[in-house]
Amino acid sequence: MELNRRTVIAGAAAAGIAATTLGTGTAQAASGSRKPVREPFGKLADGTKVYRWSLENGGTRLKVLNWGGVVQGLEIPDRHGRYANVSLGFADIGDYVAKTPYFGALIGRYGNRIAQGRFTLDGRSYQLSVNDGVNSLHGGTQGFDKHIWDVEPFTRGSDVGLHLHYTSVDGEMGYPGALRATVTYTLTRHGDWRIDYEATTDRPTVVNLTNHTYWNLAGEGTGGIEGHELTIAASRYTPTDSGLIPTGELAPVAGTPFDFRHAKTIGRDIRAGHVQQVQAKGYDHNWVLDKGITARPEHIATLRDPRSGRTLKIATDQPGLQFYSGNFLDGTLVGTGGHTYRQGDALCLETQHFPDSPNHANFPSTVLRPGQTYRSTTIHTFGA
């Protein structure tokens, strides 16, 4: 019989002992939370210090950098209580600065792509930083992932976490308005990882914040994710052109490799030869969630690794989910465990508004105006 991770931890805590099968540090996991701990993680070229914060609660261990709000590591146990880091990352800050394909990063001002880096708002045209061919990707050449964030640790009841703050000045990467962003990472007593996004502006602008963690539930560096099972509660997706910009169509997933309404392995259809997969080199698309925008997070996706038994359930209030199957990992990056990352060694599940929304009137709006507050929540629940 497979044991639920929470059952193991809760049972050990009730008995007044550590759950020794869960590996090192499990006495703290069994008894409750651990106050966030800060340690040096190197320096930038200009001498700016980079720090890593370590948090633990409910059996989940999280490591976060003040550089880009990067999740440098996230460890959870398998069905036998054995821990593994299930997120891709680097062991030193130099690689994050020079090489990273957004490993674990906070993404802004606009997650995903904007066609030709252009949009029009209130009759005025804006030209953004272009960094993906002719398009703007994840906020441009110096997006939110490439800045130092102010970090404020907290403990609140049985929760522990970090408040991360960054102010993007008016005109940064071409975006109008000074945007004040706060992102809160929380580990709950159950080991859930919750992300709360909040932002305000002094001029009309567009905002689409997300997190770009790469997942491999078998453990980073252990090989491909083709055997992972994925479910997405979406009947439609947004097809793209050759530059991975949405065409504007909301296409049905039925009868296509994009149908994940029922659990299937990622590898089952990834080489089906569909024109959308060929031009994206796999999956790199936005799914139109059936629930739409909701007042509170609702469950929209489940990822499971049959080998380890680890599961990830995602709940969000956002209308879209970008599923990226790690198509551009090319074996040139060496991760935290000393292994090279190759194509398909991890996947991303980015909760967000749709790509290129400012240029599609039929997509949910991403406009934020003075006096309004952008808010979004995504919750990651782990099990085994």
Side-chain angles (χ1 to χ4, degrees):
M1 181 181 70
E2 295 183 6
L3 293 177
N4 181 280
R5 176 178 63 131
R6 296 182 184 179
T7 302
V8 173
I9 294 172
I17 60 174
T20 55
T21 59
L22 296 182
T24 60
T26 50
Q28 291 168 318
S31 61
S33 63
R34 184 175 77 177
K35 182 179 179 180
V37 176
R38 190 184 78 166
E39 61 182 330
F41 194 73
K43 296 181 180 180
L44 302 180
D46 64 0
T48 301
K49 295 180 180 179
V50 177
Y51 294 99
R52 179 173 65 184
W53 294 86
S54 297
L55 304 80
E56 184 172 342
N57 203 8
T60 299
R61 304 166 181 167
L62 181 66
K63 295 180 179 180
V64 178
L65 306 182
N66 63 337
W67 169 258
V70 163
V71 172
Q72 195 257 343
L74 195 153
E75 300 178 12
I76 55 174
D78 65 8
R79 63 166 61 93
H80 301 295
R82 296 174 297 208
Y83 271 85
N85 176 17
V86 296
S87 66
L88 270 56
F90 293 121
D92 64 81
I93 187 59
D95 284 342
Y96 280 105
V97 173
K99 305 176 182 179
T100 182
Y102 306 100
F103 284 155
L106 288 177
I107 302 299
R109 287 190 195 190
Y110 199 96
N112 221 304
R113 295 172 173 86
I114 294 182
Q116 298 183 8
R118 298 174 186 168
F119 70 93
T120 300
L121 178 59
D122 296 339
R124 181 173 176 178
S125 296
Y126 295 92
Q127 179 61 60
L128 308 176
S129 167
V130 173
N131 62 329
D132 183 47
V134 299
N135 303 316
S136 183
L137 174 66
H138 295 330
T141 56
Q142 296 291 319
F144 284 11
D145 59 296
K146 297 178 178 65
H147 290 276
I148 293 290
W149 289 62
D150 294 327
V151 179
E152 176 188 356
F154 69 87
T155 57
R156 183 177 57 237
S158 57
D159 296 341
V160 298
L162 305 170
H163 298 301
L164 299 103
H165 307 280
Y166 176 70
T167 297
S168 174
V169 299
D170 183 21
E172 184 174 277
M173 297 292 102
Y175 287 91
L179 189 83
R180 294 171 176 82
T182 296
V183 179
T184 301
Y185 290 163
T186 303
L187 286 186
T188 73
R189 64 186 180 90
H190 296 299
D192 297 344
W193 174 36
R194 175 179 176 130
I195 309 177
D196 291 286
Y197 305 89
E198 186 173 304
T200 59
T201 183
D202 61 1
R203 289 180 58 194
T205 191
V206 294
V207 185
N208 188 26
L209 306 182
T210 190
N211 178 274
H212 210 289
T213 293
Y214 284 68
W215 301 101
N216 185 324
L217 296 184
E220 67 85 28
T222 60
I225 44 80
E226 291 85 357
H228 282 42
E229 298 171 351
L230 178 63
T231 309
I232 304 175
S235 302
R236 297 175 296 171
Y237 77 108
T238 52
T240 66
D241 63 19
S242 59
L244 302 184
I245 297 294
T247 62
E249 180 187 6
L250 305 181
V253 300
T256 77
F258 296 86
D259 192 348
F260 284 90
R261 290 175 295 175
H262 302 284
K264 69 175 181 181
T265 61
I266 292 167
R268 194 184 85 175
D269 295 328
I270 199 168
R271 294 176 177 82
H274 191 287
V275 62
Q276 287 289 309
Q277 294 173 296
V278 172
Q279 64 189 18
K281 297 181 170 55
Y283 293 109
D284 193 2
H285 295 78
N286 168 67
W287 269 253
V288 180
L289 300 175
D290 289 340
K291 70 173 189 61
I293 300 172
T294 47
R296 59 183 57 86
E298 295 185 10
H299 174 247
I300 53 93
T302 299
L303 182 69
R304 178 176 179 268
D305 171 40
R307 292 178 295 170
S308 66
R310 294 187 184 94
T311 60
L312 164 62
K313 294 182 178 180
I314 297 178
T316 189
D317 50 17
Q318 292 290 278
L321 179 73
Q322 184 82 8
F323 165 34
Y324 168 58
S325 54
N327 313 328
F328 297 101
L329 299 175
D330 60 4
T332 63
L333 305 178
V334 179
T336 50
H339 304 284
T340 57
Y341 296 149
R342 299 185 179 276
Q343 186 180 55
D345 277 358
L347 62 93
C348 300
L349 297 169
E350 305 155 64
T351 56
Q352 57 183 26
H353 271 60
F354 303 169
D356 201 33
S357 287
N359 295 311
H360 296 274
N362 62 320
F363 287 3
S365 175
T366 55
V367 175
L368 180 69
R369 299 186 181 278
Q372 299 177 334
T373 300
Y374 170 98
R375 289 188 177 92
S376 174
T377 298
T378 294
I379 301 171
H380 306 80
T381 300
F382 307 103

